[in-house]
Amino acid sequence: MTETTAVGDATHRYLQALRDRPSRPIDWSAAPPTYQRYPTEGRIVLPWRSSEPTGRLLRDLLGLTRAYWVHPTDQAGQPTVGPPEVRLGRPAPSGGALYPIEAYLATAGPTAGLYHYDAAHHCLDQVRPGDHRAALTGLLAQRPVRLPELLLVLSAVFWRNGFKYGDFAYRLHCQETGVLTAQALALAEALDRALTVHLRFAQRKTEGLLGLDGVGEGALAILALAPPHNRHDTPSELPSYTDLLARPAAQAVPQPTPVSKLLPHLTALHRAAGKPTGTPATVRSPARPPQVRQPPVSLPKPQPRQLSEGVAHRASPPNGFLPAHTHLVTLATVLAAATAGYPGDLPGTHRTPATVTPYLLIRRVAGIPPGAYWYDAGTHALFRTGDADAPGLVARGPLQPNTRPALGECAAVLIPAGDPLAGVDAFGDRWYRVQQIEAGLLMHRATLAATAHGLTARIHSDGTNDTTDAALGLAGTRQRSLSFLTLGKPRPGCLRDAGSATA
Ligand SMILES: Cc1cc2nc3c(=O)[nH]c(=O)nc-3n(C[C@H](O)[C@H](O)[C@H](O)COP(=O)(O)O)c2cc1C
């Protein structure tokens, strides 16, 4: 594979490859191991139940927190013959439950080092000893004011789900990174700790420090946990990037499969995203939709809860929703939570996600006629962009067998949209990732808020297509639907706890 030269080439080719993607049978025998393992010398076993922030954060991000029975169904959710199975689930959703995202930690203190989180055993395996916090912080485009207590690098093992989804897997890697970022922000808030989100960092140097080749596994985002308010530790001399790089890093066993030949467009895009770019002062915000039909629908005041209240009970509904109406205030609360600002390194994220804007298909929300809408986070109002048949039009589009019934029964669908090329000038080929991460963040915040208010939600990636874009009023614009989150009332027994009664 030759190195792409012009900025944006890899993004254009990747988008084209997804459009031309043939449907092909899945070779399940090509699936790599589910869990990333490192040599166990220097292992730190984390307590399963503890309020200690590192263990708690990792457990509720990537730990094996759920065991559940699965009764066999067909693609449309109808029961089929076969024995039920017990499966292990993790706290946050993952496309096809394949969990391609890994976490590496730079920690402080007497056991300071760079560690890999072994999700299967809830422990930390040392990649390299030594305090990596200063070296890693030095790779961030926007450095936190205080040296972080902990830095968390989220990486993707590309083949983990690439064997199933092909080049499309990169979109899932990026969205799942956004999902985990939203989950980490919610967990940090519950721990009363500040977490900052870094999407602009020196990717190749970060991968070098972690001992990753960027071809089997690549770094996608860095999260920095600030020390508690009352702690002012000013460490004297921490090892530099060059000092640390001179020491060997432990390698995963087995090494992740290199995908340059298997997934050429994914590889090219990830590599191109690693090229340094300037410092964008602004992001061209997602445009207001052209065909807004007035007047706007002002939404009621949200009734916020901590998003972490949704963590324990979240699960993607396996077989659609109870076809019942949802209160308008619940939708208003979900939308406000999804679009709230966050401490990120893109210009404007303190107000709202910078690269995506939410659209909705409304089916069953008391007080709002069914149709397509754009949500304006600034005015907390809905603007109609498509008529009552918009959800029906989407249902007639190319959908997977489980999406159509879910669409028929849900209360609403949240659809983050954005221009996949708008930021290439400013961000280079990193733009694709940044935007998909924000799409994942927006959807998961909506999911957590919905769960905290007694609803349930499922992502249906196939819902993003030309038919959906047309139904939302995006045809002829540069904006595209980026994902598709169905929201609605859970069927009895769907959640492990009934949640609240406000829905
Ligand atoms: C980025 C992303 C894409 C997903 N796409 C789909 C999809 O296209 N269809 C679907 O039924 N579920 C989809 N899911 C949901 C996963 O299948 C689900 O999270 C996984 O099976 C684990 O189950 P859980 O969410 O109950 O923990 C997606 C999840 C994520 C995070």
Side-chain angles (χ1 to χ4, degrees), residues 127-342:
V127 176
R128 189 189 289 108
D131 195 323
H132 284 59
R133 292 176 300 149
L136 209 44
T137 306
L139 302 180
L140 305 177
Q142 191 174 298
R143 296 180 195 166
V145 183
R146 295 193 296 156
L147 182 70
E149 177 181 344
L150 182 80
L151 288 120
L152 199 69
V153 183
L154 298 177
S155 72
V157 175
F158 300 132
W159 193 238
R160 181 86 49 76
N161 59 350
F163 81 92
K164 180 175 180 194
Y165 297 113
D167 286 297
F168 181 76
Y170 200 62
R171 184 170 126 171
L172 299 174
H173 298 142
C174 298
Q175 289 191 1
E176 293 189 31
T177 300
V179 163
L180 292 168
T181 299
Q183 183 105 336
L185 284 166
L187 295 169
E189 184 191 14
L191 291 165
D192 198 21
R193 302 292 287 277
L195 187 94
T196 49
V197 179
H198 302 268
L199 306 183
R200 293 169 41 234
F201 59 95
Q203 174 186 310
R204 292 182 188 176
K205 285 188 153 186
T206 302
E207 289 169 349
L209 196 62
L210 269 53
L212 309 180
D213 61 6
V215 182
E217 180 175 0
L220 301 183
I222 301 182
L223 310 178
L225 190 71
H229 307 295
N230 53 4
R231 193 186 306 155
H232 298 283
D233 100 50
T234 41
S236 44
E237 279 283 289
L238 293 187
S240 70
Y241 181 83
T242 329
D243 293 340
L244 291 165
L245 213 58
R247 305 180 204 162
Q251 296 289 307
V253 190
Q255 276 281 283
T257 309
V259 295
S260 38
K261 292 209 170 61
L262 298 161
L263 309 172
H265 298 290
L266 178 157
T267 310
L269 182 55
H270 184 72
R271 186 184 299 154
K275 286 188 192 161
T277 55
T279 307
T282 55
V283 178
R284 205 185 321 151
S285 301
R288 189 188 171 87
Q291 293 160 10
V292 159
R293 295 178 204 169
Q294 302 292 347
V297 182
S298 289
L299 293 177
K301 201 164 171 285
Q303 295 180 347
R305 294 185 173 189
Q306 283 212 339
L307 292 188
S308 59
E309 288 181 43
V311 167
H313 307 304
R314 185 215 63 83
S316 304
N319 52 1
F321 303 90
L322 260 192
H325 273 70
T326 288
H327 295 311
L328 185 54
V329 68
T330 308
L331 180 75
T333 304
V334 168
L335 290 172
T339 55
Y342 67 94

Side-chain angles (χ1 to χ4, degrees), residues 300-389:
K301 201 164 171 285
Q303 295 180 347
R305 294 185 173 189
Q306 283 212 339
L307 292 188
S308 59
E309 288 181 43
V311 167
H313 307 304
R314 185 215 63 83
S316 304
N319 52 1
F321 303 90
L322 260 192
H325 273 70
T326 288
H327 295 311
L328 185 54
V329 68
T330 308
L331 180 75
T333 304
V334 168
L335 290 172
T339 55
Y342 67 94
D345 64 352
L346 306 178
T349 53
H350 60 284
R351 284 191 307 275
T352 193
T355 65
V356 293
T357 192
Y359 280 76
L360 288 154
L361 291 169
I362 296 210
R363 288 195 64 97
R364 292 185 184 83
V365 178
I368 306 245
Y373 294 84
W374 169 62
Y375 172 65
D376 179 16
T379 57
H380 190 49
L382 291 176
F383 291 81
R384 196 164 175 136
T385 62
D387 60 24
D389 187 42

